[in-house]
Amino acid sequence: MKKEVFIDTPYITLGQMLKEEAVISTGGQAKWYLRENTVKVNDEPDDRRGRKLYPNDTVDVPDAGSFVIRSKQGE
């Protein structure tokens, strides 16, 4: 079961999503976290905290679960 992450902007960065979902406590931890853990975006490993996530993108985070990006506008 994927947890839905609702955004009201066109996209959210991977670092912002990790912080919003309490995977990390500060944005500054994103770089370290992504270097130490294999996070997959749409089933591809990605370690860029600035990676833009758009509605319907999926993110798999070790020990935190799977997330899917959704737009609050219902797009």
Side-chain angles (χ1 to χ4, degrees):
M1 176 82 186
K2 294 187 187 310
K3 182 175 178 195
E4 293 183 315
V5 178
F6 289 94
I7 59 172
D8 53 12
T9 54
Y11 65 86
I12 186 173
T13 66
L14 182 54
Q16 287 172 321
M17 192 223 71
L18 291 172
K19 186 176 174 197
E20 273 192 22
E21 294 304 312
V23 176
I24 57 175
S25 55
T26 67
Q29 290 178 323
K31 188 175 182 180
W32 170 86
Y33 184 86
L34 291 168
R35 192 175 15 194
E36 299 293 320
N37 298 276
T38 303
V39 173
K40 291 187 176 182
V41 177
N42 299 327
D43 295 321
E44 297 287 329
D46 202 319
D47 62 358
R48 298 172 294 164
R49 63 183 170 169
R51 165 72 187 258
K52 293 177 182 174
L53 304 173
Y54 295 95
N56 299 318
D57 280 349
T58 59
V59 183
D60 295 307
V61 182
D63 301 321
S66 296
F67 302 89
V68 61
I69 308 302
R70 297 282 187 227
S71 172
K72 283 185 180 172
Q73 281 89 25
E75 294 171 12

